[in-house]
Amino acid sequence: MLKRKPARRFPAEPLTLADVEVLRAACSRRAPTGIRNRALLAVLFRPGLRISEALALFPKDLDPAGRSLRVLRGEGNKARTAPLPADAADAGDRWLESRKRLRLTGRHPLVLDAQRPRSGEPPR
């Protein structure tokens, strides 16, 4: 029987601002999914949220006017407030407006992912 080598683990390499700008440029400025993805990138990169923290956000957690967001389930299950720079607040505000047109309520997570059903839908 062949023995497998243990998988090599490499340290995480944070994205540069240029990398993030390339990702943001690839997102549509008109389609709801593009607006959502731009907002997601903004809350991941600018305040430095983990993906699990970003996916756990609800609209009430985002305060574009106050330029902050509330992370209720952060590392160690501790709540914290993260700053939201102007460009990230603008992206979040655009997504909140787009959500209204899509009839997504505050009961829906801020960013719906493919694994999480909407309220009232059976799990996939």
Coordinates of all heavy atoms in Angstrom, one line a residue, residues 43-116:
V43 N -16.4 44.4 3.2 CA -16.4 44.1 4.6 C -15.4 43.1 5.0 O -15.0 43.0 6.1 CB -17.8 43.7 5.2 CG1 -18.8 44.8 5.0 CG2 -18.3 42.4 4.6
L44 N -15.0 42.3 4.0 CA -13.9 41.4 4.3 C -12.5 42.1 4.3 O -11.7 41.8 5.2 CB -13.8 40.3 3.2 CG -14.9 39.2 3.2 CD1 -14.9 38.4 2.0 CD2 -14.9 38.4 4.5
F45 N -12.3 42.9 3.4 CA -11.0 43.5 3.3 C -10.8 44.7 4.2 O -9.8 44.8 4.9 CB -10.7 43.9 1.8 CG -9.3 44.5 1.6 CD1 -8.2 43.7 1.7 CD2 -9.1 45.8 1.4 CE1 -6.9 44.2 1.5 CE2 -7.8 46.3 1.2 CZ -6.7 45.5 1.3
R46 N -11.7 45.7 4.1 CA -11.4 47.0 4.8 C -11.4 46.8 6.4 O -10.5 47.1 7.0 CB -12.5 48.0 4.4 CG -12.4 48.3 2.9 CD -11.0 48.8 2.5 NE -11.0 50.2 2.6 CZ -10.0 51.0 2.6 NH1 -8.8 50.4 2.5 NH2 -10.0 52.3 2.7
P47 N -12.5 46.2 7.0 CA -12.4 46.0 8.4 C -11.8 44.7 8.8 O -11.6 44.5 10.0 CB -13.9 46.1 8.9 CG -14.7 45.9 7.7 CD -13.9 46.1 6.5
G48 N -11.5 43.9 7.9 CA -10.7 42.6 8.1 C -11.6 41.5 8.7 O -11.0 40.8 9.6
L49 N -12.8 41.4 8.3 CA -13.6 40.3 8.8 C -13.2 39.0 8.2 O -12.7 38.9 7.1 CB -15.1 40.5 8.5 CG -15.9 41.3 9.6 CD1 -15.4 42.7 9.8 CD2 -17.4 41.3 9.2
R50 N -13.4 37.9 9.0 CA -13.3 36.6 8.5 C -14.6 36.2 7.7 O -15.6 36.8 7.9 CB -13.1 35.6 9.6 CG -11.9 35.7 10.4 CD -12.0 34.9 11.7 NE -10.8 35.1 12.5 CZ -10.5 36.1 13.3 NH1 -11.4 37.0 13.4 NH2 -9.4 36.1 13.9
I51 N -14.5 35.3 6.8 CA -15.6 35.0 5.9 C -16.8 34.5 6.8 O -18.0 34.9 6.6 CB -15.3 33.9 4.8 CG1 -16.5 33.8 3.8 CG2 -14.9 32.6 5.4 CD1 -16.7 35.0 3.0
S52 N -16.6 33.7 7.8 CA -17.6 33.3 8.7 C -18.3 34.4 9.4 O -19.5 34.4 9.6 CB -17.1 32.2 9.7 OG -16.1 32.8 10.5
E53 N -17.5 35.4 9.8 CA -18.1 36.6 10.4 C -18.9 37.4 9.5 O -20.0 37.9 9.8 CB -17.0 37.5 11.0 CG -16.2 36.9 12.1 CD -15.0 37.7 12.5 OE1 -14.4 38.4 11.7 OE2 -14.5 37.5 13.7
A54 N -18.5 37.6 8.2 CA -19.2 38.3 7.2 C -20.5 37.6 6.9 O -21.6 38.3 6.7 CB -18.4 38.5 6.0
L55 N -20.5 36.3 6.8 CA -21.7 35.6 6.4 C -22.7 35.5 7.6 O -23.9 35.2 7.4 CB -21.4 34.1 6.0 CG -20.6 34.1 4.7 CD1 -20.3 32.6 4.3 CD2 -21.4 34.7 3.5
A56 N -22.3 35.8 8.8 CA -23.2 35.8 10.0 C -23.8 37.2 10.2 O -24.6 37.4 11.1 CB -22.4 35.4 11.2
L57 N -23.4 38.2 9.4 CA -24.0 39.6 9.5 C -25.4 39.6 9.1 O -25.8 39.0 8.1 CB -23.2 40.6 8.7 CG -21.8 40.9 9.2 CD1 -21.0 41.8 8.2 CD2 -21.7 41.5 10.6
F58 N -26.2 40.5 9.7 CA -27.6 40.8 9.3 C -27.6 42.3 9.0 O -26.7 43.1 9.5 CB -28.6 40.5 10.4 CG -28.9 39.0 10.4 CD1 -28.1 38.1 11.0 CD2 -30.0 38.5 9.8 CE1 -28.3 36.7 11.0 CE2 -30.3 37.2 9.8 CZ -29.5 36.3 10.4
P59 N -28.6 42.8 8.2 CA -28.6 44.2 7.9 C -28.5 45.2 9.1 O -27.9 46.2 9.0 CB -29.9 44.4 7.2 CG -30.2 43.0 6.6 CD -29.7 42.1 7.6
K60 N -29.1 44.8 10.2 CA -29.1 45.6 11.4 C -27.6 45.8 12.0 O -27.3 46.7 12.7 CB -30.0 45.1 12.5 CG -29.5 43.7 13.1 CD -30.5 43.3 14.1 CE -30.2 41.9 14.6 NZ -29.0 41.5 15.0
D61 N -26.7 44.9 11.6 CA -25.3 45.0 12.0 C -24.5 46.0 11.3 O -23.4 46.4 11.7 CB -24.7 43.6 11.9 CG -25.4 42.5 12.7 OD1 -25.9 42.9 13.8 OD2 -25.4 41.4 12.3
L62 N -25.0 46.4 10.1 CA -24.3 47.4 9.3 C -24.8 48.8 9.5 O -26.0 49.0 9.4 CB -24.5 46.9 7.8 CG -23.7 47.6 6.7 CD1 -22.2 47.4 6.9 CD2 -24.1 47.2 5.4
D63 N -23.9 49.7 9.8 CA -24.3 51.1 10.0 C -23.5 52.0 9.0 O -22.4 52.5 9.5 CB -24.1 51.5 11.4 CG -24.5 52.9 11.7 OD1 -25.1 53.6 10.8 OD2 -24.2 53.4 12.8
P64 N -23.9 52.1 7.8 CA -23.1 52.9 6.8 C -23.0 54.4 7.2 O -21.9 55.0 7.1 CB -23.8 52.8 5.5 CG -24.7 51.6 5.6 CD -25.0 51.5 7.1
A65 N -24.0 54.9 7.8 CA -24.0 56.3 8.2 C -23.0 56.6 9.3 O -22.2 57.5 9.4 CB -25.4 56.8 8.6
G66 N -22.9 55.6 10.3 CA -22.0 55.7 11.4 C -20.6 55.1 11.1 O -19.7 55.0 11.9
R67 N -20.5 54.6 9.8 CA -19.3 53.9 9.4 C -18.8 52.9 10.3 O -17.6 52.9 10.7 CB -18.2 55.0 9.0 CG -18.6 55.8 7.9 CD -17.4 56.6 7.4 NE -17.8 57.4 6.3 CZ -17.1 58.4 5.8 NH1 -15.9 58.7 6.4 NH2 -17.4 59.1 4.8
S68 N -19.7 52.0 10.7 CA -19.2 50.8 11.5 C -20.1 49.6 11.3 O -21.2 49.7 10.6 CB -19.3 51.2 13.0 OG -20.7 51.4 13.4
L69 N -19.7 48.5 11.7 CA -20.5 47.3 11.7 C -20.3 46.5 13.0 O -19.2 46.6 13.6 CB -20.2 46.5 10.4 CG -18.8 45.9 10.1 CD1 -18.7 44.6 10.8 CD2 -18.7 45.8 8.6
R70 N -21.3 45.8 13.3 CA -21.2 45.1 14.6 C -21.1 43.6 14.3 O -21.9 43.0 13.6 CB -22.6 45.3 15.3 CG -22.6 44.7 16.7 CD -22.0 45.6 17.7 NE -22.1 45.0 19.0 CZ -21.2 45.0 19.9 NH1 -20.1 45.6 19.7 NH2 -21.4 44.4 21.1
V71 N -20.0 43.0 14.8 CA -19.8 41.6 14.6 C -20.2 40.9 15.9 O -19.5 41.1 16.9 CB -18.3 41.3 14.3 CG1 -18.0 39.8 14.1 CG2 -17.8 42.1 13.1
L72 N -21.3 40.2 15.9 CA -21.8 39.6 17.1 C -21.1 38.2 17.4 O -21.1 37.8 18.5 CB -23.3 39.4 17.0 CG -24.1 40.7 16.9 CD1 -25.6 40.4 16.7 CD2 -23.8 41.6 18.1
R73 N -20.7 37.5 16.4 CA -20.1 36.2 16.6 C -18.6 36.2 16.1 O -18.3 35.6 15.1 CB -20.9 35.1 15.9 CG -22.2 34.9 16.7 CD -23.1 33.9 16.0 NE -24.4 34.4 15.8 CZ -25.0 34.6 14.7 NH1 -24.5 34.1 13.6 NH2 -26.2 35.1 14.6
G74 N -17.8 37.0 16.7 CA -16.4 37.0 16.3 C -15.6 35.9 16.9 O -16.1 35.0 17.5
E75 N -14.3 36.1 16.8 CA -13.4 35.1 17.4 C -13.6 34.9 18.9 O -13.7 35.9 19.6 CB -11.9 35.5 17.1 CG -10.9 34.5 17.5 CD -9.5 34.8 17.1 OE1 -9.3 35.9 16.5 OE2 -8.6 34.1 17.5
G76 N -13.7 33.7 19.3 CA -13.9 33.5 20.7 C -15.4 33.8 21.1 O -15.7 33.9 22.3
N77 N -16.2 33.9 20.1 CA -17.7 34.2 20.3 C -17.9 35.5 21.0 O -18.8 35.7 21.7 CB -18.4 33.0 21.0 CG -19.6 32.6 20.4 OD1 -19.9 33.1 19.2 ND2 -20.4 31.8 21.0
K78 N -16.9 36.4 20.8 CA -17.0 37.8 21.4 C -17.5 38.8 20.4 O -17.2 38.7 19.2 CB -15.6 38.2 21.9 CG -15.1 37.4 23.0 CD -13.8 37.9 23.5 CE -13.2 37.0 24.6 NZ -11.9 37.4 25.0
A79 N -18.4 39.7 20.8 CA -18.9 40.7 20.0 C -17.9 41.9 19.9 O -17.1 42.1 20.8 CB -20.2 41.2 20.5
R80 N -17.9 42.6 18.7 CA -17.0 43.7 18.6 C -17.6 44.6 17.5 O -18.4 44.2 16.7 CB -15.6 43.3 18.2 CG -15.4 42.8 16.8 CD -13.9 42.5 16.6 NE -13.6 42.3 15.2 CZ -13.8 41.2 14.5 NH1 -14.4 40.1 15.1 NH2 -13.5 41.1 13.2
T81 N -17.2 45.9 17.6 CA -17.6 46.8 16.5 C -16.3 47.1 15.7 O -15.2 47.3 16.2 CB -18.0 48.2 17.2 OG1 -19.2 47.9 18.0 CG2 -18.5 49.1 16.1
A82 N -16.5 47.0 14.4 CA -15.4 47.2 13.4 C -15.6 48.5 12.6 O -16.8 48.8 12.3 CB -15.3 46.0 12.5
P83 N -14.6 49.3 12.4 CA -14.8 50.5 11.6 C -15.1 50.1 10.1 O -14.6 49.1 9.6 CB -13.4 51.2 11.7 CG -12.5 50.1 12.0 CD -13.2 49.0 12.8
L84 N -15.8 51.0 9.5 CA -16.2 50.8 8.1 C -15.8 52.1 7.3 O -16.4 53.1 7.4 CB -17.7 50.6 8.0 CG -18.3 49.9 6.8 CD1 -17.7 48.5 6.6 CD2 -19.8 49.8 6.9
P85 N -14.6 52.0 6.6 CA -14.2 53.2 5.8 C -15.3 53.6 4.8 O -16.2 52.8 4.5 CB -12.9 52.7 5.1 CG -12.5 51.5 5.9 CD -13.7 50.9 6.5
A86 N -15.1 54.8 4.3 CA -16.2 55.4 3.5 C -16.5 54.6 2.2 O -17.7 54.4 1.9 CB -15.7 56.8 3.0
D87 N -15.5 54.0 1.6 CA -15.8 53.2 0.4 C -16.5 51.9 0.7 O -17.4 51.5 0.0 CB -14.5 52.9 -0.4 CG -13.5 52.1 0.4 OD1 -13.4 52.2 1.6 OD2 -12.7 51.4 -0.3
A88 N -16.2 51.3 1.8 CA -16.9 50.1 2.3 C -18.3 50.5 2.7 O -19.2 49.7 2.5 CB -16.1 49.5 3.4
A89 N -18.5 51.6 3.4 CA -19.8 52.0 3.8 C -20.7 52.3 2.6 O -21.9 51.9 2.5 CB -19.7 53.3 4.7
D90 N -20.1 52.9 1.5 CA -20.9 53.1 0.3 C -21.3 51.8 -0.4 O -22.4 51.7 -0.8 CB -20.0 54.0 -0.7 CG -19.8 55.4 -0.2 OD1 -20.6 55.9 0.7 OD2 -18.9 56.1 -0.8
A91 N -20.4 50.9 -0.4 CA -20.7 49.6 -1.0 C -21.8 48.9 -0.2 O -22.7 48.3 -0.8 CB -19.4 48.7 -1.1
G92 N -21.7 49.0 1.1 CA -22.7 48.4 2.0 C -24.1 49.1 1.8 O -25.1 48.4 1.7
D93 N -24.1 50.4 1.7 CA -25.3 51.1 1.5 C -26.0 50.8 0.1 O -27.2 50.6 0.1 CB -25.0 52.6 1.5 CG -26.1 53.5 2.0 OD1 -27.0 52.9 2.7 OD2 -26.1 54.7 1.7
R94 N -25.2 50.6 -0.9 CA -25.7 50.2 -2.2 C -26.3 48.8 -2.1 O -27.4 48.6 -2.7 CB -24.6 50.2 -3.3 CG -24.2 51.6 -3.7 CD -23.5 51.6 -5.0 NE -24.4 51.2 -6.1 CZ -24.0 50.6 -7.2 NH1 -22.7 50.4 -7.4 NH2 -24.8 50.2 -8.1
W95 N -25.7 47.9 -1.4 CA -26.3 46.6 -1.2 C -27.6 46.6 -0.4 O -28.5 45.9 -0.8 CB -25.2 45.6 -0.6 CG -25.8 44.3 -0.3 CD1 -25.7 43.6 0.8 CD2 -26.5 43.4 -1.2 NE1 -26.3 42.4 0.7 CE2 -26.8 42.2 -0.5 CE3 -26.9 43.5 -2.5 CZ2 -27.5 41.2 -1.1 CZ3 -27.6 42.4 -3.1 CH2 -27.9 41.3 -2.4
L96 N -27.6 47.4 0.6 CA -28.8 47.5 1.4 C -30.0 48.0 0.5 O -31.1 47.5 0.6 CB -28.6 48.4 2.6 CG -27.7 47.9 3.7 CD1 -27.5 48.9 4.8 CD2 -28.3 46.6 4.3
E97 N -29.7 49.0 -0.4 CA -30.8 49.5 -1.3 C -31.2 48.4 -2.3 O -32.3 48.2 -2.6 CB -30.3 50.7 -2.0 CG -30.2 52.0 -1.2 CD -31.5 52.3 -0.6 OE1 -32.5 52.3 -1.3 OE2 -31.6 52.6 0.6
S98 N -30.2 47.6 -2.8 CA -30.5 46.6 -3.7 C -31.3 45.5 -3.1 O -32.2 44.9 -3.7 CB -29.2 46.0 -4.3 OG -29.4 45.1 -5.3
R99 N -31.0 45.2 -1.8 CA -31.8 44.2 -1.1 C -33.3 44.5 -1.0 O -34.1 43.6 -1.1 CB -31.3 44.0 0.4 CG -30.0 43.3 0.5 CD -29.5 43.3 1.9 NE -30.4 42.8 2.9 CZ -30.5 41.6 3.3 NH1 -29.7 40.7 2.9 NH2 -31.5 41.2 4.2
K100 N -33.6 45.8 -0.8 CA -35.0 46.2 -0.7 C -35.7 45.9 -2.0 O -36.8 45.4 -2.0 CB -35.1 47.7 -0.5 CG -34.7 48.1 0.9 CD -34.7 49.6 1.1 CE -34.1 50.1 2.4 NZ -34.0 51.5 2.5
R101 N -35.0 46.2 -3.2 CA -35.6 45.8 -4.5 C -35.8 44.3 -4.7 O -36.7 43.9 -5.4 CB -34.8 46.4 -5.6 CG -34.9 47.9 -5.7 CD -34.2 48.5 -6.9 NE -32.8 48.2 -7.1 CZ -31.8 48.9 -6.5 NH1 -32.1 50.0 -5.8 NH2 -30.6 48.6 -6.7
L102 N -35.0 43.6 -4.0 CA -35.1 42.1 -4.1 C -36.1 41.5 -3.0 O -36.2 40.3 -2.9 CB -33.7 41.5 -3.9 CG -32.7 41.8 -5.0 CD1 -31.3 41.3 -4.6 CD2 -33.1 41.1 -6.3
R103 N -36.7 42.4 -2.3 CA -37.6 42.1 -1.2 C -37.0 41.2 -0.1 O -37.6 40.3 0.4 CB -38.8 41.4 -1.7 CG -39.6 42.3 -2.6 CD -41.0 41.7 -2.9 NE -41.5 42.4 -4.1 CZ -42.0 41.8 -5.2 NH1 -42.0 40.5 -5.3 NH2 -42.4 42.5 -6.2
L104 N -35.7 41.4 0.2 CA -35.0 40.7 1.2 C -35.2 41.6 2.5 O -35.0 42.8 2.5 CB -33.5 40.6 0.9 CG -33.2 39.7 -0.2 CD1 -31.7 39.7 -0.6 CD2 -33.6 38.2 0.0
T105 N -35.6 40.9 3.6 CA -35.9 41.6 4.8 C -34.7 41.5 5.7 O -33.7 40.9 5.5 CB -37.2 41.0 5.5 OG1 -36.9 39.7 5.9 CG2 -38.4 41.0 4.5
G106 N -34.9 42.2 6.9 CA -33.9 42.1 7.9 C -33.7 40.7 8.5 O -32.8 40.4 9.2
R107 N -34.7 39.8 8.2 CA -34.6 38.4 8.7 C -33.7 37.6 7.9 O -33.3 36.5 8.3 CB -36.0 37.8 8.7 CG -36.9 38.4 9.7 CD -38.3 37.8 9.7 NE -38.5 36.7 8.9 CZ -39.4 35.8 9.0 NH1 -40.3 35.9 10.0 NH2 -39.5 34.7 8.2
H108 N -33.3 38.1 6.7 CA -32.3 37.4 5.9 C -30.9 37.9 6.2 O -30.7 39.1 6.5 CB -32.6 37.7 4.4 CG -33.9 37.2 3.9 ND1 -35.0 38.1 3.8 CD2 -34.4 36.0 3.6 CE1 -36.0 37.4 3.3 NE2 -35.7 36.1 3.2
P109 N -30.0 37.0 6.2 CA -28.6 37.4 6.4 C -28.2 38.5 5.4 O -28.7 38.6 4.3 CB -27.8 36.2 6.2 CG -28.7 35.0 6.4 CD -30.1 35.6 6.0
L110 N -27.2 39.3 5.8 CA -26.8 40.4 4.9 C -26.3 39.9 3.6 O -26.7 40.4 2.5 CB -25.6 41.2 5.6 CG -25.1 42.4 4.8 CD1 -26.2 43.5 4.7 CD2 -23.9 43.0 5.5
V111 N -25.6 38.8 3.6 CA -25.1 38.1 2.4 C -25.6 36.7 2.4 O -25.2 35.9 3.2 CB -23.5 38.1 2.3 CG1 -23.0 37.4 1.1 CG2 -23.0 39.6 2.4
L112 N -26.5 36.4 1.4 CA -27.0 35.1 1.3 C -25.9 34.2 0.6 O -25.5 34.6 -0.5 CB -28.3 35.0 0.6 CG -29.5 35.7 1.3 CD1 -30.6 35.8 0.4 CD2 -29.8 35.1 2.6
D113 N -25.6 33.1 1.1 CA -24.7 32.2 0.4 C -25.4 31.0 -0.2 O -26.6 30.8 0.2 CB -23.5 31.8 1.3 CG -23.8 30.9 2.4 OD1 -25.0 30.8 2.7 OD2 -22.9 30.4 3.0
A114 N -24.8 30.3 -1.0 CA -25.4 29.2 -1.7 C -25.8 28.0 -0.7 O -26.7 27.3 -1.0 CB -24.5 28.6 -2.8
Q115 N -25.2 27.9 0.4 CA -25.4 26.8 1.3 C -26.6 27.2 2.3 O -27.1 26.3 2.9 CB -24.2 26.5 2.1 CG -23.0 26.2 1.3 CD -23.3 25.0 0.4 OE1 -23.8 24.0 0.8 NE2 -22.9 25.1 -0.9
R116 N -26.9 28.5 2.5 CA -27.9 28.8 3.5 C -29.2 29.2 2.8 O -29.3 30.1 2.0 CB -27.3 30.1 4.2 CG -28.1 30.5 5.4 CD -27.6 31.6 6.1 NE -26.1 31.4 6.3 CZ -25.4 32.3 6.9 NH1 -25.8 33.4 7.4 NH2 -24.1 32.1 7.1

